[in-house]
């Protein structure tokens, strides 16, 4: 046995990805952190950059809870008590008290009957969606849905699949009208917050649209929403897109690895749905759960979000997000309106996007550039992400360097 015949094919494929602009390239390695000081937020050291300290504007840690003392303390205490890993999948011997307590907390946080943990939000979506799609099911998906939804649909083998134009409720309405009598069940799936743009699905309008058509389908219409970028960072109390739009998903998926600062994914729904998923989802049944220590840390993060401190952090996040949007507009950059801390700078040109990323890196600022074909031609952008860890001086520094680039 040998890889000699395979490796040249893999090399060719890598070269093809490089030519298409799809290679991610070498990952930047964080080697240390400099604590907030002198009116500036935390800075990060990277391998290969010596003593240069970088402002991170591309992190999903929206409330900075990964460094919150209560979250760290909870994880350390649980690691001391339960060890560093679960030791098995949950149905064998891998369920610990912190897993159960966290699931109860998540259900209560979202106003649902039950919750269920997965090893990541990606595996949550790919482990949940296929379990509700049969040979008699139509799947309807927003055009800008995340890759995890796209791959979950590919795993599902539905009777039919329809993609509606981004956030276009009229297009959704026409699809639901057209399929009456053709399928028994409809599964509507969408992101809550769309990760490339920071805009949101109008869940209230989507729910109303689905209700208008539901009686025409023998097994009804169910909505599955992935609000990984919304929960904890959006809405008055951090309950995400549901809170902001006054809509409610039948099945809600989110992550512990962004705002909550830990690791893992989860789903909340009715007790019947969760009981069904525990018996049918292979990504849950045959995968180790997050560690007991991670579960305890996530529980502490939930407590923070639900506290007065959490409300203060959420308010700061909203204020800073609006401040940065306003600053970008004053400089003549194109962005999108909204309150979410994902703030795109629409450059609409690959060369300029690449140049701006390089300019900011040279000035100790980390950002993420999204170029064609990762985004459609003409939609090239820089994705900025605000955190409650940032300060006014951080935003002023970023805006000053952006102004230098414009000049």
């Amino acid at each position: 046995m040998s890889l000699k015949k395979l490796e040249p094919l893999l090399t060719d494929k890598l070269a093809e990805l490089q030519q298409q602009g799809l290679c991610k390239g070498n990952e930047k390695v964080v080697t240390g952190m400099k604590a907030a000081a002198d009116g500036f937020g935390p800075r990060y050291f990277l391998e290969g950059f010596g003593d240069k300290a970088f402002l991170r504007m591309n992190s999903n840690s929206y409330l900075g809870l990964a460094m919150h003392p209560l979250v760290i303390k909870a994880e350390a205490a649980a690691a001391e008590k339960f060890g560093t890993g679960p030791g098995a999948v949950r149905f064998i011997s891998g369920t610990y008290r912190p897993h159960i307590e966290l699931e109860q907390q998540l259900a209560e946080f979202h106003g649902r009957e039950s919750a269920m943990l997965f090893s990541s939000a990606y595996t949550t979506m790919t482990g949940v969606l296929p379990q509700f799609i049969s040979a008699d099911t139509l799947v309807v998906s927003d055009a800008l849905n995340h890759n995890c939804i796209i791959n979950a649909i590919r795993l599902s083998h539905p009777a039919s699949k329809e993609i509606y134009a981004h956030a276009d409720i009229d297009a959704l309405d026409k699809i639901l009208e057209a399929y009456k009598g053709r399928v028994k069940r409809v599964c509507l799936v969408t992101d809550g917050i769309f990760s490339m743009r920071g805009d949101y699905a109008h869940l209230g309008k989507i729910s109303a649209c689905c209700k208008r058509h539901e009686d025409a389908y023998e097994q009804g219409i169910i909505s599955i929403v992935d609000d990984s970028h919304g929960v904890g960072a959006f809405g008055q109390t951090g309950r995400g897109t549901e809170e902001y739009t006054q809509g409610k998903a039948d099945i809600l998926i989110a992550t512990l690895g962004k705002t909550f600062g830990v690791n893992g994914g989860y789903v909340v729904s009715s007790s019947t749905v969760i009981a069904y998923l525990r018996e049918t989802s292979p990504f849950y049944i045959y995968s180790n759960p997050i560690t007991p220590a991670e579960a305890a840390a996530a529980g502490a993060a939930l407590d923070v979000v639900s506290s007065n401190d959490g409300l203060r952090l959420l308010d700061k996040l909203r204020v800073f997000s609006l401040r940065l949007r306003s600053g970008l507009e004053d400089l003549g950059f194109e962005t999108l309106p909204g309150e979410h801390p994902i703030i795109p700078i629409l450059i609409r040109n690959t060369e300029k996007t690449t140049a701006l990323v390089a300019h900011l890196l040279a000035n100790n600022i980390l950002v993420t550039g999204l170029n064609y074909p990762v985004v459609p031609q003409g939609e090239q952008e820089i994705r900025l992400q605000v955190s409650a860890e940032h300060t006014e001086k951080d935003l002023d520094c970023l805006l000053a360097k952006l102004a230098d680039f414009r000049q």
Side-chain angles (χ1 to χ4, degrees):
M1 298 172 66
S2 171
L3 293 173
K4 289 181 179 180
K5 293 182 179 180
L6 179 62
E7 285 181 340
L9 301 176
L10 303 182
T11 300
D12 290 344
K13 182 61 178 178
L14 286 170
E16 180 185 337
L17 292 172
Q18 182 70 40
Q19 186 177 16
Q20 293 173 344
L22 293 175
C23 273
K24 305 297 183 295
N26 294 330
E27 299 168 355
K28 291 181 175 63
V29 179
V30 176
T31 59
M33 179 180 170
K34 180 182 178 182
D38 302 321
F40 292 99
R43 293 296 189 270
Y44 295 84
F45 298 104
L46 302 179
E47 189 174 275
F49 287 85
D51 60 357
K52 291 184 68 174
F54 291 84
L55 168 63
R56 242 185 1 174
M57 295 301 305
N58 57 357
S59 168
N60 297 323
S61 183
Y62 297 117
L63 296 185
L65 296 183
M67 294 303 295
H68 196 288
L70 293 179
V71 177
I72 294 173
K73 182 180 178 181
E75 181 155 4
E80 288 285 346
K81 183 175 182 178
F82 297 108
T84 58
V89 298
R90 287 183 68 171
F91 82 94
I92 294 178
S93 64
T95 294
Y96 287 72
R97 173 52 55 184
H99 296 131
I100 302 299
E101 291 174 349
L102 177 57
E103 287 172 336
Q104 292 169 344
Q105 278 183 274
L106 289 166
E108 182 179 349
F109 183 82
H110 290 289
R112 299 311 208 279
E113 292 179 348
S114 193
M116 175 176 163
L117 296 171
F118 282 79
S119 58
S120 72
Y122 199 107
T123 57
T124 308
M125 179 57 74
T126 51
V128 168
L129 182 59
Q131 306 313 313
F132 296 96
I133 295 175
S134 69
D136 295 313
T137 302
L138 164 69
V139 179
V140 187
S141 177
D142 188 288
L144 293 188
N145 276 342
H146 190 269
N147 178 269
C148 68
I149 295 176
I150 294 169
N151 279 332
I153 294 172
R154 287 173 178 163
L155 289 171
S156 302
H157 305 294
S160 189
K161 176 185 72 174
E162 292 287 347
I163 310 295
Y164 61 94
H166 176 53
D168 189 335
I169 306 300
D170 289 338
L172 171 62
D173 186 77
K174 290 175 182 177
I175 291 170
L176 296 178
E177 181 67 34
Y179 272 85
K180 290 178 179 178
R182 296 168 59 183
V183 295
K184 293 181 179 179
R185 183 191 309 170
V186 177
C187 186
L188 180 285
V189 59
T190 182
D191 283 321
I193 295 294
F194 294 89
S195 61
M196 298 294 186
R197 300 161 54 92
D199 59 348
Y200 58 87
H202 296 268
L203 298 185
K205 295 179 180 179
I206 288 173
S207 296
C209 179
C210 291
K211 286 179 181 177
R212 287 197 300 272
H213 295 279
E214 186 167 27
D215 289 345
Y217 293 93
E218 180 182 331
Q219 297 176 6
I221 301 174
I222 61 171
S223 58
I224 299 179
V225 176
D226 184 338
D227 203 25
S228 290
H229 283 277
V231 172
F234 199 50
Q236 195 66 31
T237 66
R239 266 62 176 180
T241 308
E242 288 189 329
E243 180 179 26
Y244 192 85
T245 65
Q246 296 298 297
K248 193 169 185 178
D250 296 309
I251 299 169
L252 179 69
I253 288 167
T255 184
L256 303 170
K258 293 182 170 56
T259 297
F260 296 128
V262 191
N263 183 42
Y266 65 91
V267 55
V268 295
S269 189
S270 70
S271 56
T272 300
V273 164
I274 298 302
Y276 168 75
L277 287 169
R278 288 191 196 279
E279 298 296 335
T280 61
S281 176
F283 292 89
Y284 172 83
I285 296 169
Y286 300 108
S287 293
N288 272 18
I290 61 174
T291 70
E294 288 172 325
L302 270 167
D303 288 338
V304 172
V305 173
S306 298
S307 71
N308 289 332
D309 187 28
L311 292 177
R312 178 188 61 79
L313 291 171
L314 282 161
D315 186 59
K316 178 183 178 182
L317 191 64
R318 279 189 294 273
V319 170
F320 275 35
S321 298
L322 292 170
R323 188 175 186 275
L324 181 54
R325 278 186 170 87
S326 177
L328 292 173
E329 290 167 357
D330 289 345
L331 290 175
F333 285 101
E334 181 185 359
T335 186
L336 295 175
E339 295 183 18
H340 193 273
I342 291 176
I343 304 173
I345 305 178
L346 299 171
I347 307 297
R348 304 190 185 282
N349 176 280
T350 293
E351 290 74 21
K352 289 181 180 179
T353 301
T354 302
L356 180 50
V357 171
H359 168 77
L360 292 173
L361 181 66
N363 285 278
N364 297 14
I365 300 174
L366 300 175
V367 299
T368 299
L370 302 169
N371 280 320
Y372 175 82
V374 176
V375 294
Q377 191 68 263
E379 297 291 326
Q380 295 93 325
E381 67 173 74
I382 301 288
R383 184 176 69 177
L384 302 176
Q385 290 167 279
V386 177
S387 169
E389 288 185 318
H390 292 146
T391 68
E392 289 186 358
K393 281 189 174 183
D394 291 333
L395 298 190
D396 289 344
C397 174
L398 169 64
L399 289 168
K401 298 308 177 184
L402 288 170
D404 291 345
F405 182 80
R406 294 287 287 184
Q407 294 169 4

